Amino acid sequence: MRGQIFDPAARTQARLRTLEARAKDRAEAEAVAGGVAETVGLSAARGAAFEAPASPGRPYRRQAGLDWLARKGRITAAQKSAGERYGALYRRAARDGAIRSTLDVRPGGGGPAGPGAREEVLLMAAEGSAQAAARLAAMRARLWDQADLVSACDLVCGKELTPREAVASEREVGRIEALLGVALDVLAR
């Protein structure tokens, strides 16, 4: 049994390749972290609110407008609950015209089967969206169909924007927060 020939140059080359790959991986990780920090910073400057990651490997999480307002203590739990109900109805009603995927595979017969099953599922979805639209219209009627109150609820509760993202100027931020507070008080009753 013959041993391998000792080649110090080959060993050094292999070690240098390993060190170069590690340095390249480290530089790429730093570039990605810098890019994420820049994106979060720019979005925060535009008014988005982010929840910092609990640990370094976890991603940033964007906060919805209601969560941000509740965290800042600008709305009560009852107002937040009313806003969440409004937002769920808004998003459900907005999906009305959306085309659903037909690739929804349910192993084990999780849904209706047979001829006409797809149409039945579509009709059930359309019925749910129609009910959501009717309930949303009732909530808007409780707001006296005031365009400003409805718009504030649509932007912050429905589209989940922070007040700063929803409007163009800083002066309007206070106005939309005040309108939202009134609207949520009315909806919470």
PDB file of all heavy atoms in Angstrom, residues 88-89 91-96 100 120-136:
ATOM      1  N   ALA A  88     -61.687  42.630   7.361  1.00  0.00           N
ATOM      2  CA  ALA A  88     -61.948  41.286   6.839  1.00  0.00           C
ATOM      3  C   ALA A  88     -63.078  41.322   5.814  1.00  0.00           C
ATOM      4  O   ALA A  88     -62.985  40.681   4.747  1.00  0.00           O
ATOM      5  CB  ALA A  88     -62.309  40.339   7.983  1.00  0.00           C
ATOM      6  N   LEU A  89     -64.131  42.084   6.111  1.00  0.00           N
ATOM      7  CA  LEU A  89     -65.236  42.204   5.148  1.00  0.00           C
ATOM      8  C   LEU A  89     -64.786  42.937   3.886  1.00  0.00           C
ATOM      9  O   LEU A  89     -65.161  42.549   2.780  1.00  0.00           O
ATOM     10  CB  LEU A  89     -66.420  42.939   5.788  1.00  0.00           C
ATOM     11  CG  LEU A  89     -67.153  42.182   6.892  1.00  0.00           C
ATOM     12  CD1 LEU A  89     -68.180  43.071   7.554  1.00  0.00           C
ATOM     13  CD2 LEU A  89     -67.802  40.924   6.336  1.00  0.00           C
ATOM     14  N   ARG A  91     -61.757  43.084   2.539  1.00  0.00           N
ATOM     15  CA  ARG A  91     -60.905  42.221   1.704  1.00  0.00           C
ATOM     16  C   ARG A  91     -61.706  41.092   1.067  1.00  0.00           C
ATOM     17  O   ARG A  91     -61.461  40.714  -0.075  1.00  0.00           O
ATOM     18  CB  ARG A  91     -59.743  41.685   2.540  1.00  0.00           C
ATOM     19  CG  ARG A  91     -58.722  42.771   2.847  1.00  0.00           C
ATOM     20  CD  ARG A  91     -57.506  42.233   3.575  1.00  0.00           C
ATOM     21  NE  ARG A  91     -57.822  41.735   4.915  1.00  0.00           N
ATOM     22  CZ  ARG A  91     -57.946  42.518   5.977  1.00  0.00           C
ATOM     23  NH1 ARG A  91     -57.799  43.810   5.880  1.00  0.00           N
ATOM     24  NH2 ARG A  91     -58.218  41.995   7.161  1.00  0.00           N
ATOM     25  N   ARG A  92     -62.684  40.545   1.796  1.00  0.00           N
ATOM     26  CA  ARG A  92     -63.522  39.474   1.234  1.00  0.00           C
ATOM     27  C   ARG A  92     -64.377  40.005   0.083  1.00  0.00           C
ATOM     28  O   ARG A  92     -64.520  39.363  -0.948  1.00  0.00           O
ATOM     29  CB  ARG A  92     -64.413  38.881   2.326  1.00  0.00           C
ATOM     30  CG  ARG A  92     -65.359  37.802   1.844  1.00  0.00           C
ATOM     31  CD  ARG A  92     -64.579  36.559   1.440  1.00  0.00           C
ATOM     32  NE  ARG A  92     -65.389  35.605   0.750  1.00  0.00           N
ATOM     33  CZ  ARG A  92     -65.912  34.518   1.293  1.00  0.00           C
ATOM     34  NH1 ARG A  92     -65.714  34.256   2.552  1.00  0.00           N
ATOM     35  NH2 ARG A  92     -66.623  33.697   0.566  1.00  0.00           N
ATOM     36  N   ALA A  93     -64.936  41.204   0.262  1.00  0.00           N
ATOM     37  CA  ALA A  93     -65.758  41.794  -0.797  1.00  0.00           C
ATOM     38  C   ALA A  93     -64.902  42.200  -1.995  1.00  0.00           C
ATOM     39  O   ALA A  93     -65.360  42.123  -3.134  1.00  0.00           O
ATOM     40  CB  ALA A  93     -66.517  43.000  -0.264  1.00  0.00           C
ATOM     41  N   ALA A  94     -63.665  42.602  -1.760  1.00  0.00           N
ATOM     42  CA  ALA A  94     -62.774  43.001  -2.850  1.00  0.00           C
ATOM     43  C   ALA A  94     -62.358  41.813  -3.704  1.00  0.00           C
ATOM     44  O   ALA A  94     -62.023  41.975  -4.876  1.00  0.00           O
ATOM     45  CB  ALA A  94     -61.534  43.692  -2.290  1.00  0.00           C
ATOM     46  N   ARG A  95     -62.399  40.612  -3.158  1.00  0.00           N
ATOM     47  CA  ARG A  95     -62.033  39.409  -3.916  1.00  0.00           C
ATOM     48  C   ARG A  95     -63.147  38.946  -4.837  1.00  0.00           C
ATOM     49  O   ARG A  95     -62.992  37.963  -5.541  1.00  0.00           O
ATOM     50  CB  ARG A  95     -61.716  38.252  -2.970  1.00  0.00           C
ATOM     51  CG  ARG A  95     -60.380  38.308  -2.360  1.00  0.00           C
ATOM     52  CD  ARG A  95     -60.099  37.017  -1.659  1.00  0.00           C
ATOM     53  NE  ARG A  95     -61.123  36.798  -0.629  1.00  0.00           N
ATOM     54  CZ  ARG A  95     -61.148  35.769   0.177  1.00  0.00           C
ATOM     55  NH1 ARG A  95     -60.240  34.859   0.094  1.00  0.00           N
ATOM     56  NH2 ARG A  95     -62.089  35.653   1.078  1.00  0.00           N
ATOM     57  N   ASP A  96     -64.263  39.625  -4.829  1.00  0.00           N
ATOM     58  CA  ASP A  96     -65.443  39.187  -5.571  1.00  0.00           C
ATOM     59  C   ASP A  96     -65.122  38.859  -7.021  1.00  0.00           C
ATOM     60  O   ASP A  96     -65.511  37.835  -7.535  1.00  0.00           O
ATOM     61  CB  ASP A  96     -66.533  40.256  -5.493  1.00  0.00           C
ATOM     62  CG  ASP A  96     -67.838  39.784  -6.107  1.00  0.00           C
ATOM     63  OD1 ASP A  96     -68.077  38.560  -6.102  1.00  0.00           O
ATOM     64  OD2 ASP A  96     -68.605  40.633  -6.583  1.00  0.00           O
ATOM     65  N   ARG A 100     -60.418  32.455  -9.133  1.00  0.00           N
ATOM     66  CA  ARG A 100     -59.808  31.491  -8.216  1.00  0.00           C
ATOM     67  C   ARG A 100     -59.043  30.434  -8.990  1.00  0.00           C
ATOM     68  O   ARG A 100     -59.352  30.140 -10.131  1.00  0.00           O
ATOM     69  CB  ARG A 100     -60.888  30.832  -7.373  1.00  0.00           C
ATOM     70  CG  ARG A 100     -61.578  31.823  -6.460  1.00  0.00           C
ATOM     71  CD  ARG A 100     -62.659  31.142  -5.708  1.00  0.00           C
ATOM     72  NE  ARG A 100     -62.188  29.854  -5.221  1.00  0.00           N
ATOM     73  CZ  ARG A 100     -62.310  29.431  -3.982  1.00  0.00           C
ATOM     74  NH1 ARG A 100     -62.904  30.169  -3.115  1.00  0.00           N
ATOM     75  NH2 ARG A 100     -61.864  28.272  -3.612  1.00  0.00           N
ATOM     76  N   GLU A 120     -70.188  24.508  -8.137  1.00  0.00           N
ATOM     77  CA  GLU A 120     -70.746  24.642  -6.787  1.00  0.00           C
ATOM     78  C   GLU A 120     -69.790  25.406  -5.878  1.00  0.00           C
ATOM     79  O   GLU A 120     -70.210  26.277  -5.117  1.00  0.00           O
ATOM     80  CB  GLU A 120     -71.038  23.261  -6.199  1.00  0.00           C
ATOM     81  CG  GLU A 120     -71.680  23.309  -4.838  1.00  0.00           C
ATOM     82  CD  GLU A 120     -71.961  21.916  -4.296  1.00  0.00           C
ATOM     83  OE1 GLU A 120     -72.210  20.995  -5.093  1.00  0.00           O
ATOM     84  OE2 GLU A 120     -71.914  21.771  -3.076  1.00  0.00           O
ATOM     85  N   VAL A 121     -68.502  25.107  -5.982  1.00  0.00           N
ATOM     86  CA  VAL A 121     -67.497  25.798  -5.178  1.00  0.00           C
ATOM     87  C   VAL A 121     -67.456  27.277  -5.554  1.00  0.00           C
ATOM     88  O   VAL A 121     -67.394  28.151  -4.691  1.00  0.00           O
ATOM     89  CB  VAL A 121     -66.107  25.141  -5.350  1.00  0.00           C
ATOM     90  CG1 VAL A 121     -65.010  25.988  -4.736  1.00  0.00           C
ATOM     91  CG2 VAL A 121     -66.101  23.756  -4.740  1.00  0.00           C
ATOM     92  N   LEU A 122     -67.506  27.563  -6.855  1.00  0.00           N
ATOM     93  CA  LEU A 122     -67.496  28.956  -7.302  1.00  0.00           C
ATOM     94  C   LEU A 122     -68.737  29.700  -6.827  1.00  0.00           C
ATOM     95  O   LEU A 122     -68.667  30.863  -6.430  1.00  0.00           O
ATOM     96  CB  LEU A 122     -67.381  29.032  -8.824  1.00  0.00           C
ATOM     97  CG  LEU A 122     -66.031  28.625  -9.410  1.00  0.00           C
ATOM     98  CD1 LEU A 122     -66.088  28.618 -10.935  1.00  0.00           C
ATOM     99  CD2 LEU A 122     -64.940  29.547  -8.926  1.00  0.00           C
ATOM    100  N   LEU A 123     -69.887  29.031  -6.871  1.00  0.00           N
ATOM    101  CA  LEU A 123     -71.113  29.662  -6.398  1.00  0.00           C
ATOM    102  C   LEU A 123     -71.058  29.931  -4.897  1.00  0.00           C
ATOM    103  O   LEU A 123     -71.512  30.982  -4.430  1.00  0.00           O
ATOM    104  CB  LEU A 123     -72.326  28.793  -6.735  1.00  0.00           C
ATOM    105  CG  LEU A 123     -72.747  28.792  -8.202  1.00  0.00           C
ATOM    106  CD1 LEU A 123     -73.863  27.774  -8.436  1.00  0.00           C
ATOM    107  CD2 LEU A 123     -73.178  30.169  -8.637  1.00  0.00           C
ATOM    108  N   MET A 124     -70.484  28.992  -4.142  1.00  0.00           N
ATOM    109  CA  MET A 124     -70.344  29.195  -2.699  1.00  0.00           C
ATOM    110  C   MET A 124     -69.426  30.381  -2.411  1.00  0.00           C
ATOM    111  O   MET A 124     -69.707  31.197  -1.530  1.00  0.00           O
ATOM    112  CB  MET A 124     -69.806  27.922  -2.034  1.00  0.00           C
ATOM    113  CG  MET A 124     -70.830  26.811  -1.940  1.00  0.00           C
ATOM    114  SD  MET A 124     -70.209  25.206  -1.360  1.00  0.00           S
ATOM    115  CE  MET A 124     -68.881  25.570  -0.295  1.00  0.00           C
ATOM    116  N   ALA A 125     -68.328  30.496  -3.172  1.00  0.00           N
ATOM    117  CA  ALA A 125     -67.398  31.611  -2.980  1.00  0.00           C
ATOM    118  C   ALA A 125     -68.069  32.935  -3.340  1.00  0.00           C
ATOM    119  O   ALA A 125     -67.919  33.930  -2.628  1.00  0.00           O
ATOM    120  CB  ALA A 125     -66.144  31.408  -3.817  1.00  0.00           C
ATOM    121  N   ALA A 126     -68.820  32.933  -4.444  1.00  0.00           N
ATOM    122  CA  ALA A 126     -69.510  34.157  -4.859  1.00  0.00           C
ATOM    123  C   ALA A 126     -70.569  34.551  -3.830  1.00  0.00           C
ATOM    124  O   ALA A 126     -70.748  35.735  -3.527  1.00  0.00           O
ATOM    125  CB  ALA A 126     -70.144  33.963  -6.226  1.00  0.00           C
ATOM    126  N   GLU A 127     -71.247  33.564  -3.275  1.00  0.00           N
ATOM    127  CA  GLU A 127     -72.259  33.844  -2.253  1.00  0.00           C
ATOM    128  C   GLU A 127     -71.614  34.433  -0.999  1.00  0.00           C
ATOM    129  O   GLU A 127     -72.122  35.391  -0.407  1.00  0.00           O
ATOM    130  CB  GLU A 127     -73.007  32.558  -1.904  1.00  0.00           C
ATOM    131  CG  GLU A 127     -74.129  32.745  -0.912  1.00  0.00           C
ATOM    132  CD  GLU A 127     -74.853  31.435  -0.641  1.00  0.00           C
ATOM    133  OE1 GLU A 127     -75.196  30.741  -1.614  1.00  0.00           O
ATOM    134  OE2 GLU A 127     -75.050  31.123   0.543  1.00  0.00           O
ATOM    135  N   GLY A 128     -70.470  33.889  -0.615  1.00  0.00           N
ATOM    136  CA  GLY A 128     -69.746  34.424   0.547  1.00  0.00           C
ATOM    137  C   GLY A 128     -69.280  35.852   0.304  1.00  0.00           C
ATOM    138  O   GLY A 128     -69.364  36.708   1.193  1.00  0.00           O
ATOM    139  N   SER A 129     -68.807  36.135  -0.916  1.00  0.00           N
ATOM    140  CA  SER A 129     -68.378  37.492  -1.241  1.00  0.00           C
ATOM    141  C   SER A 129     -69.564  38.446  -1.258  1.00  0.00           C
ATOM    142  O   SER A 129     -69.455  39.596  -0.812  1.00  0.00           O
ATOM    143  CB  SER A 129     -67.675  37.521  -2.604  1.00  0.00           C
ATOM    144  OG  SER A 129     -66.473  36.804  -2.542  1.00  0.00           O
ATOM    145  N   ALA A 130     -70.696  37.984  -1.758  1.00  0.00           N
ATOM    146  CA  ALA A 130     -71.892  38.830  -1.780  1.00  0.00           C
ATOM    147  C   ALA A 130     -72.365  39.135  -0.358  1.00  0.00           C
ATOM    148  O   ALA A 130     -72.765  40.270  -0.057  1.00  0.00           O
ATOM    149  CB  ALA A 130     -72.998  38.152  -2.587  1.00  0.00           C
ATOM    150  N   GLN A 131     -72.311  38.131   0.508  1.00  0.00           N
ATOM    151  CA  GLN A 131     -72.685  38.365   1.905  1.00  0.00           C
ATOM    152  C   GLN A 131     -71.730  39.359   2.562  1.00  0.00           C
ATOM    153  O   GLN A 131     -72.150  40.235   3.318  1.00  0.00           O
ATOM    154  CB  GLN A 131     -72.690  37.055   2.684  1.00  0.00           C
ATOM    155  CG  GLN A 131     -73.848  36.151   2.350  1.00  0.00           C
ATOM    156  CD  GLN A 131     -73.730  34.810   3.064  1.00  0.00           C
ATOM    157  OE1 GLN A 131     -72.740  34.531   3.747  1.00  0.00           O
ATOM    158  NE2 GLN A 131     -74.752  33.979   2.908  1.00  0.00           N
ATOM    159  N   ALA A 132     -70.429  39.219   2.267  1.00  0.00           N
ATOM    160  CA  ALA A 132     -69.446  40.153   2.827  1.00  0.00           C
ATOM    161  C   ALA A 132     -69.698  41.562   2.312  1.00  0.00           C
ATOM    162  O   ALA A 132     -69.610  42.531   3.082  1.00  0.00           O
ATOM    163  CB  ALA A 132     -68.030  39.703   2.478  1.00  0.00           C
ATOM    164  N   ALA A 133     -70.031  41.689   1.031  1.00  0.00           N
ATOM    165  CA  ALA A 133     -70.316  43.016   0.463  1.00  0.00           C
ATOM    166  C   ALA A 133     -71.553  43.630   1.119  1.00  0.00           C
ATOM    167  O   ALA A 133     -71.578  44.839   1.401  1.00  0.00           O
ATOM    168  CB  ALA A 133     -70.495  42.908  -1.048  1.00  0.00           C
ATOM    169  N   ALA A 134     -72.566  42.818   1.389  1.00  0.00           N
ATOM    170  CA  ALA A 134     -73.778  43.329   2.037  1.00  0.00           C
ATOM    171  C   ALA A 134     -73.482  43.765   3.473  1.00  0.00           C
ATOM    172  O   ALA A 134     -73.954  44.823   3.919  1.00  0.00           O
ATOM    173  CB  ALA A 134     -74.871  42.265   2.018  1.00  0.00           C
ATOM    174  N   ARG A 135     -72.704  42.980   4.204  1.00  0.00           N
ATOM    175  CA  ARG A 135     -72.353  43.345   5.574  1.00  0.00           C
ATOM    176  C   ARG A 135     -71.467  44.585   5.602  1.00  0.00           C
ATOM    177  O   ARG A 135     -71.588  45.435   6.482  1.00  0.00           O
ATOM    178  CB  ARG A 135     -71.680  42.173   6.273  1.00  0.00           C
ATOM    179  CG  ARG A 135     -72.686  41.043   6.537  1.00  0.00           C
ATOM    180  CD  ARG A 135     -72.069  39.822   7.157  1.00  0.00           C
ATOM    181  NE  ARG A 135     -71.459  40.114   8.454  1.00  0.00           N
ATOM    182  CZ  ARG A 135     -70.557  39.334   9.021  1.00  0.00           C
ATOM    183  NH1 ARG A 135     -70.184  38.225   8.428  1.00  0.00           N
ATOM    184  NH2 ARG A 135     -70.048  39.649  10.181  1.00  0.00           N
ATOM    185  N   LEU A 136     -70.567  44.710   4.596  1.00  0.00           N
ATOM    186  CA  LEU A 136     -69.719  45.893   4.489  1.00  0.00           C
ATOM    187  C   LEU A 136     -70.577  47.126   4.207  1.00  0.00           C
ATOM    188  O   LEU A 136     -70.352  48.195   4.795  1.00  0.00           O
ATOM    189  CB  LEU A 136     -68.672  45.706   3.393  1.00  0.00           C
ATOM    190  CG  LEU A 136     -67.689  46.854   3.187  1.00  0.00           C
ATOM    191  CD1 LEU A 136     -66.831  47.054   4.426  1.00  0.00           C
ATOM    192  CD2 LEU A 136     -66.816  46.578   1.977  1.00  0.00           C
TER     193      LEU A 136
END
